[in-house]
Amino acid sequence: MSEQTQWLDRDERRAWRGYVAMSEMLEARLGQDLRKAGLSSADYTVLVLLSEAPERRLGLGELGAEAQWSKSRVSHQIRRMQERELVERTEDADDPRRAHAELTERGAEALRAAAPLHVAGVRRYFLDHLTREQQTQLVEIARSVLPHLGPAPLPPELREGKGGEEA
Amino acid sequence: MSEQTQWLDRDERRAWRGYVAMSEMLEARLGQDLRKAGLSSADYTVLVLLSEAPERRLGLGELGAEAQWSKSRVSHQIRRMQERELVERTEDADDPRRAHAELTERGAEALRAAAPLHVAGVRRYFLDHLTREQQTQLVEIARSVLPHLGPAPLPPELREGKGGEEA
DNA sequence: AGGTGATGGTTGATACGTCAACCTGATCGG
DNA sequence: CCGATCAGGTTGACGTATCAACCATCACCT
């Protein structure tokens, strides 16, 4: 049974380590910027999702699904954000088990304050250094890889469009 | 002063969100696999760096530099690994302030056990789904972006070679 | 109605990463 | 030789992520 491990060759290692180095640094930088604005990356994600949702509220389940988070993570995250009054918890009319998170004015404010800085960071650290062609290549790469990373459907942005799904 | 924020257009959002989704899922999957083998991603990084170092030992400073970690992070990480006897701390002959981490037999063992699984994951979740051309594109993307992410020199893998540095 | 499993969420323990403060020993200017 | 500063590292507190265990409620079936 025990197949010999196929180690990475030079080119593969280049691709992998390059990718890892980039993604770790990127996350570090963007995280730092957000933290200076008083938010964690997770906070920011939640605020964006809520702000994009109709009524600025979302069931914890949907939230978890969109962010690809475990329910435990969602629960902790929302509790902490609630303590800081960035979100409010509201009950479900139909099913008392269900909980919703709703953006507070304070939360919306925090997002308005952080978003421009964050977007500027995304440009400065990342997008500014890619050609349009490289952006397209990256989208194709994500479309190739994502389906193999779990049961989650592709995020809406990558769904339609001209890119080829694999057989 | 206050330039209007340049929000992301459709293509930029595709590239960015696609990238983020991919990188978060990838990290989650690989982290899970490693955790099942009893190691965190950080543990694995340290073990690899030590195993690649001459004498299987590295000054904490060098270790931090290679992994791009803060000294605090290095310190905590090494302490925890030492408690599990994955590494050993040794002193510097010249400068008593300096500390070194050295791979223990137990650490080497853990790495031997985890490495094939990890590499298999890198293939299964990532490399297998990229064409050689996409691998090359990714390397170029990393080479374009990394220099703008901090003072750190490019990792050795990406340094030489035919890729074009930006002006 | 009464069980049974699925669904939605919470909780606690533990590990990890960050920051700020701190300590120790080297180094250097005078 | 003394004080200042720097380099290398440690520490503690805090926020965050993960897993496993748990609890409540719903949906279904008989």
Side-chain angles (χ1 to χ4, degrees):
Chain A
M1 282 288 16
S2 75
E3 293 224 13
Q4 282 290 68
T5 298
Q6 259 243 277
W7 300 105
L8 304 187
D9 67 31
R10 194 178 125 282
D11 285 352
E12 289 168 333
R13 207 162 40 238
R14 269 165 81 91
W16 177 243
R17 293 213 181 175
Y19 163 78
V20 168
M22 176 177 78
S23 77
E24 285 180 356
M25 292 287 284
L26 252 180
E27 203 196 332
R29 288 271 169 271
L30 291 170
Q32 273 177 348
D33 287 1
L34 279 176
R35 235 171 297 112
K36 280 177 200 158
L39 297 174
S40 68
S41 284
D43 294 337
Y44 188 81
T45 300
V46 170
L47 294 179
V48 168
L49 289 177
L50 291 185
S51 78
E52 286 173 349
E55 313 283 329
R56 294 171 142 197
R57 69 206 286 280
L58 227 44
L60 297 201
E62 288 95 306
L63 207 167
E66 297 206 41
Q68 290 293 293
W69 287 353
S70 71
K71 34 191 202 159
S72 166
R73 183 172 177 184
V74 172
S75 182
H76 284 306
Q77 181 67 38
I78 295 300
R79 177 182 42 69
R80 287 184 308 245
M81 292 183 74
Q82 180 197 358
E83 284 161 3
R84 289 185 293 153
E85 300 181 71
L86 296 174
V87 303
E88 200 177 348
R89 305 176 72 105
T90 61
E91 292 163 6
D92 189 291
D94 299 357
D95 186 339
R97 289 174 304 177
R98 279 195 192 193
H100 297 255
E102 186 169 342
L103 196 57
T104 61
E105 191 43 53
R106 201 166 159 55
E109 183 53 42
L111 180 57
R112 274 194 295 273
L117 294 170
H118 180 68
V119 171
V122 171
R123 290 197 179 286
R124 188 152 47 90
Y125 297 132
F126 192 58
L127 292 178
D128 280 353
H129 314 296
L130 299 183
T131 64
R132 282 276 162 180
E133 199 191 353
Q134 284 178 313
Q135 282 183 30
T136 307
Q137 293 168 355
L138 196 59
V139 170
E140 279 313 306
I141 288 173
R143 286 174 54 96
S144 307
V145 172
L146 272 170
H148 303 277
L149 292 180
L154 283 176
E157 285 89 356
L158 304 189
R159 218 164 286 157
E160 79 294 330
K162 46 213 139 192
E165 196 65 27
E166 66 176 16
Chain B
M1 283 298 342
S2 75
E3 291 223 14
Q4 281 291 67
T5 297
Q6 259 242 275
W7 300 105
L8 303 187
D9 67 32
R10 194 177 124 282
D11 285 354
E12 289 168 331
R13 207 162 40 235
R14 267 166 84 91
W16 177 242
R17 294 214 179 174
Y19 162 78
V20 169
M22 176 179 77
S23 75
E24 285 180 356
M25 293 286 285
L26 252 180
E27 204 196 333
R29 288 274 170 270
L30 292 170
Q32 273 176 347
D33 288 1
L34 279 176
R35 233 171 297 112
K36 280 177 201 159
L39 297 175
S40 68
S41 284
D43 293 338
Y44 187 81
T45 300
V46 169
L47 294 179
V48 168
L49 289 178
L50 291 185
S51 77
E52 287 173 348
E55 314 283 330
R56 295 172 143 197
R57 69 206 286 280
L58 225 46
L60 298 201
E62 289 96 306
L63 207 166
E66 297 206 41
Q68 291 291 296
W69 288 353
S70 72
K71 38 190 198 158
S72 166
R73 182 172 177 184
V74 172
S75 183
H76 284 306
Q77 181 67 40
I78 295 299
R79 176 182 41 72
R80 286 183 309 245
M81 292 183 75
Q82 180 196 0
E83 284 161 3
R84 290 184 291 153
E85 300 181 71
L86 297 175
V87 303
E88 200 177 348
R89 305 177 72 105
T90 62
E91 292 164 6
D92 189 291
D94 298 356
D95 188 338
R97 287 175 306 178
R98 278 194 194 192
H100 298 255
E102 185 169 344
L103 197 56
T104 62
E105 190 43 54
R106 201 166 158 57
E109 183 53 42
L111 180 56
R112 274 194 295 275
L117 295 170
H118 180 69
V119 171
V122 170
R123 290 197 179 285
R124 188 154 47 89
Y125 297 133
F126 193 58
L127 292 177
D128 280 353
H129 314 296
L130 299 183
T131 64
R132 282 275 163 182
E133 199 192 351
Q134 284 179 313
Q135 281 183 32
T136 308
Q137 293 168 355
L138 196 59
V139 170
E140 280 312 306
I141 288 173
R143 286 173 54 96
S144 308
V145 173
L146 273 170
H148 304 278
L149 293 179
L154 282 175
E157 286 89 356
L158 303 189
R159 218 163 286 157
E160 78 295 328
K162 48 212 141 192
E165 196 65 26
E166 67 174 18

